[in-house]
Amino acid sequence: MYIVKKLIYSFNEICDYRGVLVAIQQIKDIPFEIKRIYYMYNTKKDVIRGCHAHKNLRQVLICISGSCKILLDDGIEKEIVALDKKNLGLYIGANIWREMFEFSEDAVLLVLASEYYDDTDYIRNYNEFLKYINSSSNVC
Ligand code: T46
């Protein structure tokens, strides 16, 4: 069994005397077609967002302002990734528990998603998540 838990992209920064531009193209720069974009900001201090996994959704998270941290958990190992540069993209595949925390006051977390919003794709209970991934037919 092999789970792609995370992949960190360092998107190309196109710099000139005016500043910096970062372009991200579906399929070419990230491994899916983008069906949805959402972003979060004004996240209160000490708040933890996420705390769920997805059965199918794949996403790339980019902190386009400020910084935040992401905890990734595949049911066996946990890892924390700091998103503290505007050109870093964190890929999160399916079947990964995620928690976002330590948002800076100016943080804007942008998410590129492979699917339309679907509430039935969420696993919001940690024990259910462990059960789900331990039934081998759900993870390939
Ligand atoms: C994820 C992490 C990284 C919508 O109506 N449409 C949407 O596309 C999204 C993402 C959310 N919503 C509604 C559902 C809730 O009523 O917005 C509300 C807040 O969503 P949620 O509590 O799921 O937000 P987070 O920050 O806990 O999680 C979000 C994504 O939902 C999730 O897929 O992986 O960001």
Side-chain angles (χ1 to χ4, degrees), residues 3 13 15-16 21 28-29 37 39-40 46 48 50 54-55 58-59 62 84 93 98-99 113 122 129 140:
I3 307 172
E13 294 180 297
C15 308
D16 62 26
L21 186 151
K28 290 185 176 176
D29 300 309
I37 296 172
Y39 51 94
M40 53 196 83
D46 299 330
I48 303 178
H54 283 282
K55 296 174 191 165
R58 295 174 294 150
Q59 306 190 102
I62 306 164
D84 53 5
R98 81 285 318 267
E99 298 181 11
Y122 285 72
F129 162 68
C140 53

Side-chain angles (χ1 to χ4, degrees), residues 36 38 40 49-50 52 54 57 59 61 98 100 117 122 124:
R36 180 166 52 108
Y38 60 91
M40 53 196 83
R49 299 197 66 125
H52 58 251
H54 283 282
L57 184 69
Q59 306 190 102
L61 280 58
R98 81 285 318 267
M100 300 94 80
Y117 181 69
Y122 285 72
R124 297 188 187 277

